[in-house]
mmCIF file of all heavy atoms in Angstrom:
data_model
loop_
_atom_site.group_PDB
_atom_site.id
_atom_site.type_symbol
_atom_site.label_atom_id
_atom_site.label_comp_id
_atom_site.label_asym_id
_atom_site.label_seq_id
_atom_site.Cartn_x
_atom_site.Cartn_y
_atom_site.Cartn_z
ATOM 1 N N ALA O 22 3.943 -5.478 11.096
ATOM 2 C CA ALA O 22 4.646 -6.166 10.007
ATOM 3 C C ALA O 22 4.707 -5.299 8.749
ATOM 4 O O ALA O 22 4.523 -5.781 7.636
ATOM 5 C CB ALA O 22 4.008 -7.520 9.706
ATOM 6 N N PHE O 23 4.984 -4.003 8.934
ATOM 7 C CA PHE O 23 5.022 -3.059 7.810
ATOM 8 C C PHE O 23 6.085 -3.449 6.796
ATOM 9 O O PHE O 23 7.230 -3.713 7.139
ATOM 10 C CB PHE O 23 5.321 -1.642 8.321
ATOM 11 C CG PHE O 23 5.458 -0.642 7.218
ATOM 12 C CD1 PHE O 23 4.335 -0.011 6.720
ATOM 13 C CD2 PHE O 23 6.687 -0.339 6.663
ATOM 14 C CE1 PHE O 23 4.437 0.912 5.684
ATOM 15 C CE2 PHE O 23 6.802 0.575 5.639
ATOM 16 C CZ PHE O 23 5.671 1.202 5.150
ATOM 17 N N ARG O 24 5.658 -3.488 5.544
ATOM 18 C CA ARG O 24 6.549 -3.640 4.385
ATOM 19 C C ARG O 24 5.937 -2.798 3.282
ATOM 20 O O ARG O 24 4.830 -3.087 2.821
ATOM 21 C CB ARG O 24 6.656 -5.090 3.933
ATOM 22 C CG ARG O 24 7.267 -6.002 4.963
ATOM 23 C CD ARG O 24 7.434 -7.423 4.508
ATOM 24 N NE ARG O 24 6.408 -7.870 3.575
ATOM 25 C CZ ARG O 24 6.389 -9.060 3.025
ATOM 26 N NH1 ARG O 24 7.336 -9.934 3.284
ATOM 27 N NH2 ARG O 24 5.431 -9.412 2.198
ATOM 28 N N SER O 25 6.628 -1.778 2.845
ATOM 29 C CA SER O 25 6.059 -0.867 1.853
ATOM 30 C C SER O 25 5.658 -1.590 0.575
ATOM 31 O O SER O 25 4.687 -1.213 -0.081
ATOM 32 C CB SER O 25 7.027 0.281 1.538
ATOM 33 O OG SER O 25 8.251 -0.207 1.028
ATOM 34 N N ARG O 26 6.341 -2.658 0.238
ATOM 35 C CA ARG O 26 6.023 -3.385 -1.007
ATOM 36 C C ARG O 26 4.654 -4.060 -0.969
ATOM 37 O O ARG O 26 4.146 -4.495 -1.990
ATOM 38 C CB ARG O 26 7.120 -4.380 -1.343
ATOM 39 C CG ARG O 26 7.219 -5.531 -0.382
ATOM 40 C CD ARG O 26 8.325 -6.495 -0.818
ATOM 41 N NE ARG O 26 8.493 -7.574 0.101
ATOM 42 C CZ ARG O 26 9.429 -7.621 1.040
ATOM 43 N NH1 ARG O 26 10.287 -6.632 1.163
ATOM 44 N NH2 ARG O 26 9.518 -8.656 1.846
ATOM 45 N N ASP O 27 4.045 -4.181 0.222
ATOM 46 C CA ASP O 27 2.718 -4.774 0.343
ATOM 47 C C ASP O 27 1.597 -3.771 0.058
ATOM 48 O O ASP O 27 0.445 -4.157 -0.034
ATOM 49 C CB ASP O 27 2.501 -5.325 1.759
ATOM 50 C CG ASP O 27 3.414 -6.487 2.083
ATOM 51 O OD1 ASP O 27 3.892 -7.150 1.146
ATOM 52 O OD2 ASP O 27 3.643 -6.723 3.284
ATOM 53 N N TYR O 28 1.936 -2.511 -0.063
ATOM 54 C CA TYR O 28 0.945 -1.443 -0.187
ATOM 55 C C TYR O 28 0.704 -1.041 -1.636
ATOM 56 O O TYR O 28 1.563 -1.207 -2.494
ATOM 57 C CB TYR O 28 1.405 -0.193 0.575
ATOM 58 C CG TYR O 28 1.211 -0.315 2.056
ATOM 59 C CD1 TYR O 28 2.114 -1.009 2.833
ATOM 60 C CD2 TYR O 28 0.108 0.256 2.675
ATOM 61 C CE1 TYR O 28 1.938 -1.137 4.200
ATOM 62 C CE2 TYR O 28 -0.080 0.144 4.037
ATOM 63 C CZ TYR O 28 0.838 -0.562 4.794
ATOM 64 O OH TYR O 28 0.636 -0.685 6.145
ATOM 65 N N VAL O 29 -0.479 -0.494 -1.844
ATOM 66 C CA VAL O 29 -0.792 0.219 -3.083
ATOM 67 C C VAL O 29 -1.146 1.647 -2.697
ATOM 68 O O VAL O 29 -1.579 1.905 -1.571
ATOM 69 C CB VAL O 29 -1.943 -0.441 -3.887
ATOM 70 C CG1 VAL O 29 -1.563 -1.841 -4.335
ATOM 71 C CG2 VAL O 29 -3.239 -0.446 -3.098
ATOM 72 N N ILE O 30 -0.958 2.550 -3.635
ATOM 73 C CA ILE O 30 -1.223 3.971 -3.397
ATOM 74 C C ILE O 30 -2.117 4.496 -4.504
ATOM 75 O O ILE O 30 -1.846 4.268 -5.684
ATOM 76 C CB ILE O 30 0.093 4.773 -3.344
ATOM 77 C CG1 ILE O 30 0.903 4.321 -2.125
ATOM 78 C CG2 ILE O 30 -0.181 6.271 -3.313
ATOM 79 C CD1 ILE O 30 2.234 4.985 -1.979
ATOM 80 N N ALA O 31 -3.178 5.191 -4.095
ATOM 81 C CA ALA O 31 -4.062 5.861 -5.055
ATOM 82 C C ALA O 31 -3.541 7.287 -5.240
ATOM 83 O O ALA O 31 -3.205 7.964 -4.260
ATOM 84 C CB ALA O 31 -5.495 5.892 -4.532
ATOM 85 N N ALA O 32 -3.480 7.711 -6.484
ATOM 86 C CA ALA O 32 -2.970 9.047 -6.780
ATOM 87 C C ALA O 32 -3.836 9.709 -7.850
ATOM 88 O O ALA O 32 -4.426 9.030 -8.697
ATOM 89 C CB ALA O 32 -1.521 8.971 -7.258
ATOM 90 N N ASP O 33 -3.885 11.018 -7.787
ATOM 91 C CA ASP O 33 -4.619 11.802 -8.769
ATOM 92 C C ASP O 33 -3.883 11.755 -10.100
ATOM 93 O O ASP O 33 -2.655 11.945 -10.150
ATOM 94 C CB ASP O 33 -4.747 13.253 -8.277
ATOM 95 C CG ASP O 33 -5.503 14.115 -9.240
ATOM 96 O OD1 ASP O 33 -6.708 13.878 -9.412
ATOM 97 O OD2 ASP O 33 -4.880 15.026 -9.827
ATOM 98 N N GLU O 34 -4.610 11.505 -11.169
ATOM 99 C CA GLU O 34 -3.984 11.369 -12.493
ATOM 100 C C GLU O 34 -3.331 12.660 -12.975
ATOM 101 O O GLU O 34 -2.308 12.619 -13.652
ATOM 102 C CB GLU O 34 -5.018 10.908 -13.518
ATOM 103 C CG GLU O 34 -5.435 9.475 -13.314
ATOM 104 C CD GLU O 34 -6.456 9.019 -14.331
ATOM 105 O OE1 GLU O 34 -6.324 9.378 -15.509
ATOM 106 O OE2 GLU O 34 -7.386 8.297 -13.924
ATOM 107 N N GLU O 35 -3.930 13.796 -12.669
ATOM 108 C CA GLU O 35 -3.405 15.062 -13.178
ATOM 109 C C GLU O 35 -2.234 15.589 -12.363
ATOM 110 O O GLU O 35 -1.209 15.985 -12.913
ATOM 111 C CB GLU O 35 -4.522 16.099 -13.229
ATOM 112 C CG GLU O 35 -5.591 15.758 -14.251
ATOM 113 C CD GLU O 35 -6.730 16.758 -14.257
ATOM 114 O OE1 GLU O 35 -6.563 17.876 -13.727
ATOM 115 O OE2 GLU O 35 -7.794 16.405 -14.791
ATOM 116 N N SER O 36 -2.371 15.585 -11.037
ATOM 117 C CA SER O 36 -1.340 16.194 -10.190
ATOM 118 C C SER O 36 -0.363 15.177 -9.608
ATOM 119 O O SER O 36 0.656 15.556 -9.050
ATOM 120 C CB SER O 36 -2.000 16.954 -9.039
ATOM 121 O OG SER O 36 -2.649 16.044 -8.158
ATOM 122 N N ASN O 37 -0.679 13.899 -9.717
ATOM 123 C CA ASN O 37 0.120 12.827 -9.116
ATOM 124 C C ASN O 37 0.112 12.880 -7.584
ATOM 125 O O ASN O 37 0.932 12.252 -6.938
ATOM 126 C CB ASN O 37 1.557 12.850 -9.624
ATOM 127 C CG ASN O 37 1.937 11.546 -10.273
ATOM 128 O OD1 ASN O 37 1.118 10.663 -10.461
ATOM 129 N ND2 ASN O 37 3.206 11.438 -10.618
ATOM 130 N N THR O 38 -0.801 13.653 -7.020
ATOM 131 C CA THR O 38 -0.913 13.772 -5.575
ATOM 132 C C THR O 38 -1.441 12.467 -4.991
ATOM 133 O O THR O 38 -2.446 11.936 -5.452
ATOM 134 C CB THR O 38 -1.873 14.921 -5.199
ATOM 135 O OG1 THR O 38 -1.389 16.125 -5.792
ATOM 136 C CG2 THR O 38 -1.991 15.087 -3.705
ATOM 137 N N ARG O 39 -0.752 11.954 -3.988
ATOM 138 C CA ARG O 39 -1.179 10.721 -3.329
ATOM 139 C C ARG O 39 -2.412 11.012 -2.477
ATOM 140 O O ARG O 39 -2.439 11.988 -1.727
ATOM 141 C CB ARG O 39 -0.048 10.156 -2.483
ATOM 142 C CG ARG O 39 1.120 9.699 -3.345
ATOM 143 C CD ARG O 39 2.292 9.255 -2.530
ATOM 144 N NE ARG O 39 3.017 10.444 -2.063
ATOM 145 C CZ ARG O 39 4.275 10.436 -1.645
ATOM 146 N NH1 ARG O 39 4.952 9.311 -1.620
ATOM 147 N NH2 ARG O 39 4.857 11.535 -1.242
ATOM 148 N N ALA O 40 -3.425 10.157 -2.611
ATOM 149 C CA ALA O 40 -4.716 10.410 -1.971
ATOM 150 C C ALA O 40 -5.146 9.303 -1.016
ATOM 151 O O ALA O 40 -6.010 9.526 -0.165
ATOM 152 C CB ALA O 40 -5.783 10.590 -3.045
ATOM 153 N N GLY O 41 -4.578 8.122 -1.132
ATOM 154 C CA GLY O 41 -4.976 7.012 -0.276
ATOM 155 C C GLY O 41 -4.064 5.824 -0.462
ATOM 156 O O GLY O 41 -3.196 5.822 -1.346
ATOM 157 N N PHE O 42 -4.294 4.812 0.348
ATOM 158 C CA PHE O 42 -3.421 3.647 0.326
ATOM 159 C C PHE O 42 -4.097 2.475 1.010
ATOM 160 O O PHE O 42 -5.138 2.623 1.663
ATOM 161 C CB PHE O 42 -2.092 3.958 1.032
ATOM 162 C CG PHE O 42 -2.281 4.463 2.437
ATOM 163 C CD1 PHE O 42 -2.351 3.587 3.515
ATOM 164 C CD2 PHE O 42 -2.420 5.822 2.681
ATOM 165 C CE1 PHE O 42 -2.543 4.048 4.802
ATOM 166 C CE2 PHE O 42 -2.610 6.295 3.975
ATOM 167 C CZ PHE O 42 -2.679 5.406 5.036
ATOM 168 N N GLY O 43 -3.511 1.319 0.891
ATOM 169 C CA GLY O 43 -3.981 0.113 1.555
ATOM 170 C C GLY O 43 -3.013 -1.013 1.281
ATOM 171 O O GLY O 43 -2.108 -0.877 0.461
ATOM 172 N N ARG O 44 -3.231 -2.113 1.976
ATOM 173 C CA ARG O 44 -2.305 -3.231 1.786
ATOM 174 C C ARG O 44 -2.998 -4.566 1.897
ATOM 175 O O ARG O 44 -4.074 -4.683 2.475
ATOM 176 C CB ARG O 44 -1.171 -3.166 2.788
ATOM 177 C CG ARG O 44 -1.557 -3.732 4.155
ATOM 178 C CD ARG O 44 -0.456 -3.641 5.172
ATOM 179 N NE ARG O 44 0.472 -4.747 5.106
ATOM 180 C CZ ARG O 44 1.197 -5.155 6.135
ATOM 181 N NH1 ARG O 44 1.118 -4.560 7.292
ATOM 182 N NH2 ARG O 44 2.022 -6.164 5.999
ATOM 183 N N ILE O 45 -2.342 -5.543 1.331
ATOM 184 C CA ILE O 45 -2.690 -6.943 1.549
ATOM 185 C C ILE O 45 -1.613 -7.494 2.465
ATOM 186 O O ILE O 45 -0.421 -7.288 2.244
ATOM 187 C CB ILE O 45 -2.686 -7.738 0.226
ATOM 188 C CG1 ILE O 45 -3.895 -7.372 -0.600
ATOM 189 C CG2 ILE O 45 -2.670 -9.225 0.517
ATOM 190 C CD1 ILE O 45 -3.955 -8.121 -1.914
ATOM 191 N N ARG O 46 -2.066 -8.188 3.473
ATOM 192 C CA ARG O 46 -1.123 -8.860 4.372
ATOM 193 C C ARG O 46 -1.392 -10.355 4.281
ATOM 194 O O ARG O 46 -2.523 -10.802 4.468
ATOM 195 C CB ARG O 46 -1.300 -8.376 5.802
ATOM 196 C CG ARG O 46 -0.315 -9.004 6.741
ATOM 197 C CD ARG O 46 -0.337 -8.374 8.108
ATOM 198 N NE ARG O 46 0.567 -9.104 8.980
ATOM 199 C CZ ARG O 46 0.515 -9.076 10.288
ATOM 200 N NH1 ARG O 46 -0.387 -8.319 10.895
ATOM 201 N NH2 ARG O 46 1.358 -9.770 11.004
ATOM 202 N N ILE O 47 -0.358 -11.105 3.967
ATOM 203 C CA ILE O 47 -0.464 -12.559 3.861
ATOM 204 C C ILE O 47 0.043 -13.157 5.171
ATOM 205 O O ILE O 47 1.164 -12.891 5.593
ATOM 206 C CB ILE O 47 0.369 -13.112 2.683
ATOM 207 C CG1 ILE O 47 0.040 -12.386 1.372
ATOM 208 C CG2 ILE O 47 0.194 -14.622 2.571
ATOM 209 C CD1 ILE O 47 -1.381 -12.489 0.924
ATOM 210 N N HIS O 48 -0.818 -13.936 5.795
ATOM 211 C CA HIS O 48 -0.465 -14.633 7.028
ATOM 212 C C HIS O 48 -0.202 -16.085 6.673
ATOM 213 O O HIS O 48 -1.034 -16.721 6.019
ATOM 214 C CB HIS O 48 -1.612 -14.577 8.037
ATOM 215 C CG HIS O 48 -2.033 -13.197 8.405
ATOM 216 N ND1 HIS O 48 -1.443 -12.496 9.430
ATOM 217 C CD2 HIS O 48 -2.986 -12.385 7.889
ATOM 218 C CE1 HIS O 48 -2.020 -11.304 9.531
ATOM 219 N NE2 HIS O 48 -2.953 -11.220 8.603
ATOM 220 N N ALA O 49 0.926 -16.605 7.097
ATOM 221 C CA ALA O 49 1.252 -18.015 6.842
ATOM 222 C C ALA O 49 1.426 -18.723 8.174
ATOM 223 O O ALA O 49 2.160 -18.245 9.049
ATOM 224 C CB ALA O 49 2.521 -18.119 6.017
ATOM 225 N N ARG O 50 0.697 -19.820 8.322
ATOM 226 C CA ARG O 50 0.823 -20.619 9.539
ATOM 227 C C ARG O 50 0.481 -22.057 9.193
ATOM 228 O O ARG O 50 -0.535 -22.312 8.558
ATOM 229 C CB ARG O 50 -0.100 -20.106 10.624
ATOM 230 C CG ARG O 50 0.100 -20.827 11.953
ATOM 231 C CD ARG O 50 -0.886 -20.424 13.011
ATOM 232 N NE ARG O 50 -0.558 -19.132 13.575
ATOM 233 C CZ ARG O 50 -1.298 -18.540 14.510
ATOM 234 N NH1 ARG O 50 -2.394 -19.128 14.949
ATOM 235 N NH2 ARG O 50 -0.963 -17.377 14.980
#
């Protein structure tokens, strides 16, 4: 159920290099 808008990205403040990521997934039932 990939949706890029669900993700956050960690980046280095000086170089703006992306270093990590993760997401929240909301399940509705």
